[in-house]
Amino acid sequence: IVPPAKFVHDVDGRRGLAVSSLVAGDCIVSGGTVHRSLLAPGVRVHSYSALDEAVVLPQCHIGRGARLRKVVLDRGVAIPPGLVVGEDEALDASRFRRTQNGVCLVTQEMIDRLT
């Protein structure tokens, strides 16, 4: 048995919420915004981050202030604070696997190569 999803913080600019999304149990959306996305169990979305059209597999952590659009995150990926994916096609294609429709696959190995 897993605990239910949890949404925390309720101040302007830092509100944990999900709209038009599916959020599994054991997820914590802590001051981040989730829109048209699917979060698998154990996902953590930290403050000031934004997910739009994302499929996030289990045990991923989205760092503070990250902005992710049209992504698929592999299991266990730790997105560093402030990372932006889905806003610059050329940059995304150089760092991640990107489809013709603009969806980026992000693995932990790809994230590790960024540092």
Side-chain angles (χ1 to χ4, degrees):
I1 298 177
V2 298
K6 180 178 177 181
F7 300 84
V8 295
H9 298 301
D10 189 17
V11 294
D12 288 341
R14 187 180 185 206
R15 181 166 288 122
L17 63 91
V19 177
S20 299
S21 298
L22 293 174
V23 180
D26 195 30
C27 286
I28 299 175
V29 179
S30 177
T33 303
V34 178
H35 181 253
R36 294 183 62 191
S37 297
L38 185 146
L39 305 185
V43 171
R44 303 294 181 260
V45 180
H46 293 279
S47 291
Y48 309 108
S49 58
L51 298 176
D52 186 30
E53 297 183 4
V55 175
V56 184
L57 296 182
Q59 307 304 317
C60 289
H61 288 246
I62 313 304
R64 188 178 182 101
R67 294 192 318 268
L68 308 177
R69 183 174 179 278
K70 293 181 82 169
V71 298
V72 176
L73 300 184
D74 193 19
R75 172 185 285 273
V77 170
I79 297 294
L83 181 70
V84 176
V85 180
E87 295 179 14
D88 183 327
E89 292 178 16
L91 183 60
D92 290 344
S94 71
R95 302 183 298 177
F96 309 111
R97 181 112 187 235
R98 187 177 181 279
T99 69
Q100 289 181 344
N101 294 332
V103 177
C104 287
L105 168 66
V106 179
T107 66
Q108 188 60 49
E109 182 178 303
M110 293 171 184
I111 294 295
D112 292 343
R113 284 195 301 243
L114 296 179
T115 56

mmCIF file of all heavy atoms in Angstrom, residues 3 18 20 26 37-38 44 47-48 51 61 66-67 74 77 83 94 100-101 104 111 113:
data_model
loop_
_atom_site.group_PDB
_atom_site.id
_atom_site.type_symbol
_atom_site.label_atom_id
_atom_site.label_comp_id
_atom_site.label_asym_id
_atom_site.label_seq_id
_atom_site.Cartn_x
_atom_site.Cartn_y
_atom_site.Cartn_z
ATOM 1 N N PRO A 3 1.091 5.612 0.081
ATOM 2 C CA PRO A 3 0.308 6.760 0.530
ATOM 3 C C PRO A 3 -0.285 7.499 -0.671
ATOM 4 O O PRO A 3 0.210 7.360 -1.799
ATOM 5 C CB PRO A 3 1.329 7.625 1.261
ATOM 6 C CG PRO A 3 2.637 7.233 0.697
ATOM 7 C CD PRO A 3 2.515 5.784 0.314
ATOM 8 N N ALA A 18 -2.028 20.199 -9.932
ATOM 9 C CA ALA A 18 -2.031 19.414 -11.163
ATOM 10 C C ALA A 18 -3.371 19.637 -11.858
ATOM 11 O O ALA A 18 -4.423 19.563 -11.219
ATOM 12 C CB ALA A 18 -1.828 17.936 -10.871
ATOM 13 N N SER A 20 -5.647 18.644 -15.445
ATOM 14 C CA SER A 20 -5.773 17.738 -16.592
ATOM 15 C C SER A 20 -4.646 16.702 -16.594
ATOM 16 O O SER A 20 -4.016 16.457 -17.622
ATOM 17 C CB SER A 20 -5.777 18.514 -17.911
ATOM 18 O OG SER A 20 -6.862 19.399 -17.961
ATOM 19 N N ASP A 26 1.858 8.200 -3.780
ATOM 20 C CA ASP A 26 3.236 8.402 -3.351
ATOM 21 C C ASP A 26 3.951 9.489 -4.150
ATOM 22 O O ASP A 26 5.170 9.539 -4.193
ATOM 23 C CB ASP A 26 4.032 7.093 -3.382
ATOM 24 C CG ASP A 26 5.343 7.184 -2.619
ATOM 25 O OD1 ASP A 26 5.405 7.959 -1.636
ATOM 26 O OD2 ASP A 26 6.314 6.517 -2.999
ATOM 27 N N SER A 37 -0.214 16.015 -17.799
ATOM 28 C CA SER A 37 0.912 15.105 -17.590
ATOM 29 C C SER A 37 0.484 13.862 -16.835
ATOM 30 O O SER A 37 -0.616 13.810 -16.281
ATOM 31 C CB SER A 37 2.019 15.825 -16.805
ATOM 32 O OG SER A 37 2.509 16.916 -17.534
ATOM 33 N N LEU A 38 1.373 12.875 -16.820
ATOM 34 C CA LEU A 38 1.159 11.638 -16.080
ATOM 35 C C LEU A 38 2.361 11.432 -15.167
ATOM 36 O O LEU A 38 3.497 11.410 -15.649
ATOM 37 C CB LEU A 38 1.034 10.465 -17.059
ATOM 38 C CG LEU A 38 0.701 9.125 -16.434
ATOM 39 C CD1 LEU A 38 -0.175 8.321 -17.368
ATOM 40 C CD2 LEU A 38 1.952 8.356 -16.088
ATOM 41 N N ARG A 44 8.641 13.284 -7.316
ATOM 42 C CA ARG A 44 8.708 14.504 -6.509
ATOM 43 C C ARG A 44 8.869 15.692 -7.444
ATOM 44 O O ARG A 44 9.781 15.716 -8.271
ATOM 45 C CB ARG A 44 9.904 14.470 -5.539
ATOM 46 C CG ARG A 44 9.923 13.275 -4.591
ATOM 47 C CD ARG A 44 8.751 13.328 -3.605
ATOM 48 N NE ARG A 44 8.760 12.214 -2.680
ATOM 49 C CZ ARG A 44 8.011 11.127 -2.796
ATOM 50 N NH1 ARG A 44 7.197 10.976 -3.828
ATOM 51 N NH2 ARG A 44 8.053 10.180 -1.888
ATOM 52 N N SER A 47 9.447 22.988 -5.761
ATOM 53 C CA SER A 47 8.907 24.338 -5.899
ATOM 54 C C SER A 47 9.363 25.053 -7.164
ATOM 55 O O SER A 47 10.503 24.894 -7.602
ATOM 56 C CB SER A 47 9.306 25.185 -4.694
ATOM 57 O OG SER A 47 8.644 24.726 -3.539
ATOM 58 N N TYR A 48 8.433 25.836 -7.705
ATOM 59 C CA TYR A 48 8.649 26.703 -8.859
ATOM 60 C C TYR A 48 8.943 25.938 -10.147
ATOM 61 O O TYR A 48 9.304 26.546 -11.151
ATOM 62 C CB TYR A 48 9.768 27.736 -8.598
ATOM 63 C CG TYR A 48 9.572 28.495 -7.316
ATOM 64 C CD1 TYR A 48 10.388 28.244 -6.218
ATOM 65 C CD2 TYR A 48 8.553 29.430 -7.187
ATOM 66 C CE1 TYR A 48 10.199 28.932 -5.023
ATOM 67 C CE2 TYR A 48 8.351 30.111 -5.994
ATOM 68 C CZ TYR A 48 9.181 29.860 -4.924
ATOM 69 O OH TYR A 48 8.993 30.534 -3.739
ATOM 70 N N LEU A 51 5.717 21.278 -15.237
ATOM 71 C CA LEU A 51 5.665 20.156 -16.168
ATOM 72 C C LEU A 51 4.473 20.371 -17.083
ATOM 73 O O LEU A 51 3.373 20.658 -16.602
ATOM 74 C CB LEU A 51 5.476 18.829 -15.433
ATOM 75 C CG LEU A 51 6.556 18.397 -14.462
ATOM 76 C CD1 LEU A 51 6.141 17.113 -13.766
ATOM 77 C CD2 LEU A 51 7.858 18.199 -15.181
ATOM 78 N N HIS A 61 12.746 12.781 -9.709
ATOM 79 C CA HIS A 61 12.745 14.010 -8.917
ATOM 80 C C HIS A 61 12.962 15.193 -9.857
ATOM 81 O O HIS A 61 13.947 15.210 -10.593
ATOM 82 C CB HIS A 61 13.847 13.980 -7.850
ATOM 83 C CG HIS A 61 13.540 13.041 -6.738
ATOM 84 N ND1 HIS A 61 13.303 13.462 -5.459
ATOM 85 C CD2 HIS A 61 13.386 11.693 -6.721
ATOM 86 C CE1 HIS A 61 13.040 12.414 -4.698
ATOM 87 N NE2 HIS A 61 13.091 11.328 -5.448
ATOM 88 N N ALA A 66 12.790 23.888 -12.432
ATOM 89 C CA ALA A 66 12.931 23.239 -13.741
ATOM 90 C C ALA A 66 11.649 23.453 -14.555
ATOM 91 O O ALA A 66 10.557 23.536 -14.004
ATOM 92 C CB ALA A 66 13.202 21.750 -13.574
ATOM 93 N N ARG A 67 11.812 23.545 -15.882
ATOM 94 C CA ARG A 67 10.662 23.664 -16.777
ATOM 95 C C ARG A 67 10.790 22.572 -17.832
ATOM 96 O O ARG A 67 11.739 22.565 -18.613
ATOM 97 C CB ARG A 67 10.616 25.042 -17.440
ATOM 98 C CG ARG A 67 10.362 26.166 -16.470
ATOM 99 C CD ARG A 67 10.026 27.490 -17.156
ATOM 100 N NE ARG A 67 10.814 27.813 -18.322
ATOM 101 C CZ ARG A 67 11.941 28.528 -18.300
ATOM 102 N NH1 ARG A 67 12.437 28.962 -17.164
ATOM 103 N NH2 ARG A 67 12.570 28.809 -19.437
ATOM 104 N N ASP A 74 12.707 8.805 -17.978
ATOM 105 C CA ASP A 74 12.947 7.417 -17.624
ATOM 106 C C ASP A 74 12.901 7.246 -16.103
ATOM 107 O O ASP A 74 13.080 8.204 -15.352
ATOM 108 C CB ASP A 74 14.312 6.994 -18.168
ATOM 109 C CG ASP A 74 14.532 5.497 -18.143
ATOM 110 O OD1 ASP A 74 13.545 4.738 -18.042
ATOM 111 O OD2 ASP A 74 15.704 5.087 -18.237
ATOM 112 N N VAL A 77 15.036 9.281 -12.900
ATOM 113 C CA VAL A 77 15.788 10.454 -13.362
ATOM 114 C C VAL A 77 15.691 11.576 -12.326
ATOM 115 O O VAL A 77 14.618 11.856 -11.795
ATOM 116 C CB VAL A 77 15.269 10.943 -14.733
ATOM 117 C CG1 VAL A 77 15.860 12.289 -15.108
ATOM 118 C CG2 VAL A 77 15.576 9.916 -15.807
ATOM 119 N N LEU A 83 16.765 23.244 -14.830
ATOM 120 C CA LEU A 83 16.905 22.686 -16.179
ATOM 121 C C LEU A 83 15.654 23.015 -17.001
ATOM 122 O O LEU A 83 14.539 22.907 -16.517
ATOM 123 C CB LEU A 83 17.107 21.170 -16.133
ATOM 124 C CG LEU A 83 17.292 20.502 -17.494
ATOM 125 C CD1 LEU A 83 18.637 20.884 -18.102
ATOM 126 C CD2 LEU A 83 17.181 18.996 -17.375
ATOM 127 N N SER A 94 20.550 18.273 -29.156
ATOM 128 C CA SER A 94 21.965 18.023 -28.887
ATOM 129 C C SER A 94 22.191 17.308 -27.549
ATOM 130 O O SER A 94 23.241 16.712 -27.341
ATOM 131 C CB SER A 94 22.748 19.339 -28.910
ATOM 132 O OG SER A 94 22.441 20.137 -27.779
ATOM 133 N N GLN A 100 10.555 13.730 -34.069
ATOM 134 C CA GLN A 100 10.178 14.759 -35.039
ATOM 135 C C GLN A 100 9.043 15.624 -34.516
ATOM 136 O O GLN A 100 8.900 16.782 -34.912
ATOM 137 C CB GLN A 100 9.778 14.123 -36.370
ATOM 138 C CG GLN A 100 10.933 13.542 -37.128
ATOM 139 C CD GLN A 100 10.505 12.956 -38.451
ATOM 140 O OE1 GLN A 100 9.326 12.716 -38.698
ATOM 141 N NE2 GLN A 100 11.476 12.718 -39.320
ATOM 142 N N ASN A 101 8.228 15.082 -33.635
ATOM 143 C CA ASN A 101 7.116 15.836 -33.050
ATOM 144 C C ASN A 101 7.544 16.662 -31.844
ATOM 145 O O ASN A 101 6.704 17.289 -31.207
ATOM 146 C CB ASN A 101 5.969 14.899 -32.649
ATOM 147 C CG ASN A 101 5.330 14.245 -33.858
ATOM 148 O OD1 ASN A 101 5.339 14.802 -34.946
ATOM 149 N ND2 ASN A 101 4.776 13.058 -33.662
ATOM 150 N N CYS A 104 10.921 14.839 -26.088
ATOM 151 C CA CYS A 104 12.273 14.468 -25.669
ATOM 152 C C CYS A 104 12.245 13.317 -24.677
ATOM 153 O O CYS A 104 11.494 13.369 -23.697
ATOM 154 C CB CYS A 104 12.968 15.650 -25.004
ATOM 155 S SG CYS A 104 13.446 16.933 -26.158
ATOM 156 N N ILE A 111 21.352 13.094 -18.368
ATOM 157 C CA ILE A 111 21.473 14.161 -17.372
ATOM 158 C C ILE A 111 22.906 14.207 -16.829
ATOM 159 O O ILE A 111 23.491 15.279 -16.674
ATOM 160 C CB ILE A 111 20.465 13.953 -16.207
ATOM 161 C CG1 ILE A 111 19.022 14.112 -16.719
ATOM 162 C CG2 ILE A 111 20.745 14.896 -15.053
ATOM 163 C CD1 ILE A 111 18.671 15.484 -17.218
ATOM 164 N N ARG A 113 25.602 13.479 -18.296
ATOM 165 C CA ARG A 113 26.513 14.050 -19.304
ATOM 166 C C ARG A 113 26.454 15.572 -19.347
ATOM 167 O O ARG A 113 27.356 16.212 -19.876
ATOM 168 C CB ARG A 113 26.190 13.494 -20.689
ATOM 169 C CG ARG A 113 26.681 12.085 -20.885
ATOM 170 C CD ARG A 113 26.673 11.701 -22.357
ATOM 171 N NE ARG A 113 25.351 11.801 -22.952
ATOM 172 C CZ ARG A 113 24.671 10.772 -23.465
ATOM 173 N NH1 ARG A 113 25.193 9.567 -23.437
ATOM 174 N NH2 ARG A 113 23.487 10.957 -23.994
#
